[in-house]
Amino acid sequence: MRRGRWAELGDLAAVVGTGGVIRVAELEGLGVARSTISARCQPGGPWRRVLPGVISLFTGYLTARQRSIAAVVYAGPGAMLSGRAALAEYGVGRHSGDVQVLVSAGRRVQSAGFVVIERTTRMPDAVDRAGIPCAPITRSVLDAARRCTTVDSARALIADIVQRGAASPRDLSTELEQGSGRGSALPRTVLREVLANVHSAPEAAARTLWMRSGLPAMVFNVDVVDADSRFIARPDGWIDAVALAWEIDSFEWHLSPASYQETVQRRNAMQSLGIVVLSSIPRTLKDEPDRVIADLRAHFALASSRPRPSVRIHPVRSR
């Protein structure tokens, strides 16, 4: 294509089909002179450089998806998204931070701008998400969790994935064991909680306090049924030895009148059958742990002092 003929293509962004993001080399392959590219990327021009060797065919800010496209375009053939950027392509959360990209160990491409390059000897098969190659969701969530700086952020991330049914704890554990040990401490801690059926940060805090209490075994998020196998409730924590239920009451949950009514009905159903119920709020788990442990022990003593009601739990299903 002779110099200048690229203009006959009309909407160049539509022609290249990459969200308006393209490598300089591809533009040159379309017949765009390097001097033209430089001129159009000058201040006030219609294009701009977003990464080394990568141009956006517009001047506005990149959307999160355009950033992801630009990252993969920059990293070159065989690269794929991972971490939170990939999770966003799976419909899990939003992402506006650095874009994590996997490349094979032999590649020399470097991190640049908002792109974090991670070389790996375990390149997975890419999953196409509307035209963007992404690592499988188990790899993506663990790559994201390895970059978390607190256990709470790792816990929220992994618990969200598990609760959505997007990945099972077993699959995540397998992926973690097969992958790099670098940065694996936090996801390993969280997966131990999730495998114990702990679903949220307050429940994880509750589990920690129960472990300090010296009380008998507690299970989490199991169905409690009556003598006729009719469902009663699914308390956050349950000590089956004495039929003691532990409920972690979230203020946000109670902002909904319907949810508050459901909480009251569930608690009434348990208490009407003789189940002892302890209610705690997330703030006290963090701010007054000794008081919570004392409450837990006191309610255990109360539950131990009366005949155990005829209720039972369904076995915890392995996932």
Side-chain angles (χ1 to χ4, degrees):
M1 184 179 295
R2 296 194 305 273
R3 181 178 297 181
R5 289 290 303 280
W6 60 270
E8 297 176 8
L9 293 173
D11 186 353
L12 185 58
V15 172
V16 299
T18 52
V21 178
I22 188 171
R23 293 179 67 87
V24 169
E26 292 181 63
L27 281 173
E28 292 177 343
L30 290 170
V32 186
R34 181 162 296 190
S35 59
T36 300
I37 296 172
S38 296
R40 294 176 74 86
C41 290
Q42 292 298 315
W47 299 348
R48 70 185 183 100
R49 299 182 187 275
V50 294
L51 289 166
V54 179
I55 301 295
S56 67
L57 303 177
F58 53 88
T59 56
Y61 289 107
L62 297 180
T63 66
R65 194 160 207 277
Q66 287 168 333
R67 285 162 62 90
S68 293
I69 292 171
V72 173
V73 167
Y74 164 73
M80 65 185 73
L81 293 186
S82 192
R84 291 186 183 272
L87 293 178
E89 297 303 316
Y90 283 103
V92 180
R94 298 179 179 179
H95 180 62
S96 59
D98 289 345
V99 179
Q100 191 173 358
V101 178
L102 301 182
V103 300
S104 59
R107 295 283 307 281
R108 293 187 176 182
V109 61
Q110 302 290 326
S111 298
F114 53 81
V115 181
V116 176
I117 297 293
E118 181 173 327
R119 294 177 183 80
T120 177
T121 58
R122 294 182 59 249
M123 280 294 284
D125 293 332
V127 178
D128 186 282
R129 299 297 298 180
I132 300 182
C134 295
I137 196 163
T138 50
R139 177 67 175 271
S140 297
V141 67
L142 289 174
D143 281 348
R146 287 187 180 99
R147 294 175 61 81
C148 289
T149 57
T150 67
V151 69
D152 281 349
S153 59
R155 182 183 291 129
L157 174 65
I158 292 175
D160 184 33
I161 293 292
V162 172
Q163 289 174 10
R164 290 170 180 265
S168 73
R170 298 294 177 189
D171 288 344
L172 290 170
S173 293
T174 298
E175 172 63 34
L176 185 63
E177 293 305 318
Q178 292 176 349
S180 169
R182 179 170 51 87
S184 66
L186 291 184
R188 198 176 302 279
T189 296
V190 173
L191 281 171
R192 282 197 295 266
E193 297 172 352
V194 173
L195 287 168
N197 218 23
V198 173
H199 293 169
S200 67
E203 288 175 16
R207 180 173 180 266
T208 298
L209 295 184
W210 158 71
M211 293 173 69
R212 287 177 49 192
S213 72
L215 296 177
M218 177 177 287
V219 290
F220 296 83
N221 297 291
V222 294
D223 290 348
V224 179
V225 298
D226 65 16
D228 297 318
S229 298
R230 290 175 297 201
F231 175 78
I232 302 170
R234 181 180 296 155
D236 297 314
W238 177 262
I239 298 181
D240 195 56
V242 295
L244 168 63
W246 193 5
E247 293 275 78
I248 311 302
D249 292 337
S250 169
F251 173 73
E252 290 82 2
W253 177 253
H254 286 164
L255 289 177
S256 164
S259 297
Y260 178 70
Q261 182 178 3
E262 181 181 336
T263 298
V264 172
Q265 290 174 342
R266 184 176 66 250
R267 190 163 301 151
N268 287 343
M270 289 190 285
Q271 291 175 334
S272 68
L273 291 172
I275 296 171
V276 173
V277 181
L278 168 63
S279 297
S280 302
I281 59 175
R283 181 181 57 78
T284 62
L285 301 178
K286 178 181 178 181
D287 296 344
E288 302 177 79
D290 292 339
R291 173 186 166 189
V292 173
I293 291 174
D295 288 343
L296 187 57
R297 289 170 175 163
H299 280 72
F300 178 82
L302 176 62
S304 301
S305 69
R306 53 85 167 102
R308 188 188 185 285
S310 183
V311 297
R312 59 186 177 85
I313 58 173
H314 281 306
V316 177
R317 298 176 181 175
S318 61
R319 293 183 281 178

